[in-house]
Amino acid sequence: MKAIPIITALPLLFSFAVANEVKAVTDFDTTKYLGKWYEIARLPNFFQKQCISDISAIYSQEEDGIAVLNSCIKQDNKVDTADGFATKENSIGSKLKVSFLPKYIRWIPFTKGDYWVLKIDPDYQVSLVGDPNREYLWILARKPHIDPAIIEDYINAAKAQGYTELDQLIYTQHTIK
């Protein structure tokens, strides 16, 4: 008899889970996304702990995917770079799988991270990037400094996608004007 209320609640629980799924944009042009992006803000993550300023990424088209070159300034004022490679997970390219492992071992399963474009402005000047588990989040822009109102708009978009720890955002310092 106790199983009946649980069975009755399953459709409700399922609909709640589906409603709270992270969603990538559905209208996306990979070629417009290529080029240089500056990190405006991010949730803390282990692979950027050494970065203190001037964080950027350059995306360029290659035959079988997208080359990624991340760079930042470290505590010792030296530039740190990471070469990566992204492949499309969906047909439009708003969901990517990215690996920063050396080329010769990128084939190993479970070594790629999700990189989903969650929001982008029509001119491809500002984007919100995250993952389906809400562990990672970045606000990126074509310029190193953007209007705080735009940042707030993208933070609100992250909230709407179910991100809850936005008080932990790290705002990137850029020495470029």
Side-chain angles (χ1 to χ4, degrees), residues 21-33:
E21 283 182 12
V22 174
K23 293 180 176 62
V25 296
T26 56
D27 185 19
F28 186 75
D29 184 342
T30 306
T31 58
K32 288 183 182 180
Y33 197 77

Side-chain angles (χ1 to χ4, degrees), residues 6-158:
I6 292 172
I7 292 171
T8 307
L10 283 177
L12 179 62
L13 291 171
F14 180 74
S15 67
F16 179 74
V18 170
N20 286 323
E21 283 182 12
V22 174
K23 293 180 176 62
V25 296
T26 56
D27 185 19
F28 186 75
D29 184 342
T30 306
T31 58
K32 288 183 182 180
Y33 197 77
L34 300 176
K36 188 167 188 172
W37 290 88
Y38 295 91
E39 180 185 277
I40 302 302
R42 72 177 180 282
L43 283 178
N45 60 65
F46 72 93
F47 47 86
Q48 286 184 285
K49 280 187 177 183
Q50 79 284 2
C51 295
I52 62 164
S53 71
D54 297 294
I55 301 170
S56 65
I58 299 173
Y59 304 102
S60 55
Q61 188 69 54
E62 290 194 358
E63 188 175 316
D64 52 347
I66 298 169
V68 181
L69 177 61
N70 288 347
S71 66
C72 71
I73 303 293
K74 300 186 305 181
Q75 190 75 33
D76 60 6
N77 284 327
K78 292 186 179 174
V79 176
D80 187 33
T81 61
D83 287 306
F85 191 76
T87 53
K88 290 181 181 181
E89 187 179 343
N90 64 354
S91 61
I92 61 170
S94 63
K95 293 182 180 180
L96 299 168
K97 288 284 192 183
V98 181
S99 175
F100 286 93
L101 292 175
K103 289 180 183 181
Y104 61 90
I105 58 172
R106 287 184 184 155
W107 60 270
I108 297 173
F110 310 108
T111 61
K112 296 178 180 145
D114 291 304
Y115 180 105
W116 290 15
V117 179
L118 309 178
K119 177 181 170 87
I120 192 158
D121 75 301
D123 297 324
Y124 285 69
Q125 297 300 302
V126 181
S127 70
L128 180 69
V129 175
D131 71 300
N133 297 320
R134 297 177 184 93
E135 292 177 41
Y136 305 107
L137 186 74
W138 293 269
I139 298 173
L140 306 174
R142 296 293 187 172
K143 297 178 182 178
H145 307 283
I146 62 173
D147 185 320
I150 295 172
I151 296 170
E152 191 63 31
D153 181 47
Y154 279 73
I155 290 171
N156 288 333

